[in-house]
Amino acid sequence: WEMVVDLFAGAQSLKKGVRGKQREYVPLDKRGKVWSHAHQGWVRNEKYDVMKMTPEETVERVREVFRGRHGKVRRVKVKLWWASPDCRTFSKMDSMNEKHGQFREWQKGGGRQPKREGKGELTEKGRRAHQADDMMRRTMEVLDWVHQLKAEHRQMTEGQKCKEEARLGVFLDFSEVEVALENPTGSLAEQKYM
């Protein structure tokens, strides 16, 4: 079996590229049910909130989803871990949107930071940008954990992998995983946590 994990799956646009008999697609999103234009109907995501789960709990959630669908003891090669977080507050177009209020403003030496009012209070859109920064920090923690698992699993012997498979019921093998972060090149690339 091979697996693709779609973090912040939303309308599951990535799913159309995941084909194959023994290829599992695991969509994780805060919204359990989303209308998808690409699929011309409602799609169901596995409920997941990056702000409420640790990276380790995230991987365990993916294991639970697979176990719930297939039940048997298996080894699954995680081939792609895709993350497409909300990018509205990082858009290049934000700086041009003075009429409707901006999410971010230029700060000396710090790139584009959440928008503040005269006394230093965050504006409503500035609060949303601050929340997006928190979400991205957590997302980066998850992606860092996936990279760490990749390094660990590359060092494991076949015997060690078999033991883990027996112990866990479903062994998610990260040794060949590719990690992708989808986001337009805007102020996200300028953030210190990137």
Side-chain angles (χ1 to χ4, degrees):
W1 283 83
E2 293 180 348
M3 179 184 288
V4 171
V5 178
D6 191 356
L7 193 58
F8 311 108
Q12 299 183 7
S13 56
L14 179 64
K15 186 176 183 178
K16 285 195 167 203
V18 181
R19 295 189 180 96
K21 248 187 179 177
Q22 292 197 333
R23 188 163 289 161
E24 191 74 14
Y25 172 77
V26 179
L28 301 175
D29 200 279
K30 222 175 173 177
R31 300 163 298 165
K33 188 176 177 184
V34 177
W35 173 261
S36 173
H37 180 73
H39 298 286
Q40 293 297 301
W42 292 95
V43 294
R44 294 203 178 277
N45 296 311
E46 301 296 334
K47 292 285 275 180
Y48 170 77
D49 186 345
V50 72
M51 298 305 292
K52 293 181 179 175
M53 296 181 90
T54 66
E56 296 85 354
E57 290 169 333
T58 301
V59 170
E60 187 54 37
R61 177 76 176 111
V62 170
R63 186 185 335 277
E64 288 170 11
V65 168
F66 187 86
R67 189 181 294 125
R69 291 178 185 175
H70 302 286
K72 296 180 182 178
V73 174
R74 296 181 190 270
R75 182 180 309 177
V76 184
K77 284 194 175 281
V78 182
K79 299 299 266 184
L80 177 64
W81 193 287
W82 184 269
S84 51
D86 186 351
C87 61
R88 287 176 288 186
T89 72
F90 300 106
S91 171
K92 283 183 177 181
M93 298 304 289
D94 182 49
S95 61
M96 300 168 59
N97 197 10
E98 288 185 46
K99 181 179 177 185
H100 299 288
Q102 297 166 313
F103 289 102
R104 297 178 183 278
E105 60 190 352
W106 287 103
Q107 303 276 322
K108 268 190 173 178
R112 293 180 48 77
Q113 299 301 317
K115 181 95 172 163
R116 296 184 182 275
E117 295 176 296
K119 295 181 180 180
E121 297 284 322
L122 289 171
T123 64
E124 176 57 35
K125 286 195 171 184
R127 279 190 286 282
R128 288 176 51 200
H130 183 71
Q131 290 170 341
D133 286 339
D134 289 345
M135 180 196 63
M136 281 307 307
R137 283 185 195 92
R138 290 300 296 263
T139 300
M140 294 309 295
E141 289 174 14
V142 171
L143 299 182
D144 288 345
W145 179 243
V146 170
H147 280 290
Q148 186 177 333
L149 289 173
K150 179 178 183 174
E152 289 175 12
H153 291 186
R154 282 184 162 182
Q155 299 299 316
M156 292 174 79
T157 65
E158 184 61 28
Q160 290 170 321
K161 289 181 180 182
C162 288
K163 282 182 184 177
E164 285 298 293
E165 187 177 317
R167 184 178 73 81
L168 297 168
V170 175
F171 176 61
L172 300 178
D173 185 350
F174 285 87
S175 61
E176 297 176 15
V177 70
E178 294 295 329
V179 176
L181 176 63
E182 174 190 358
N183 207 292
T185 56
S187 59
L188 178 59
E190 300 165 1
Q191 301 305 315
K192 291 177 182 172
Y193 51 81
M194 294 302 289

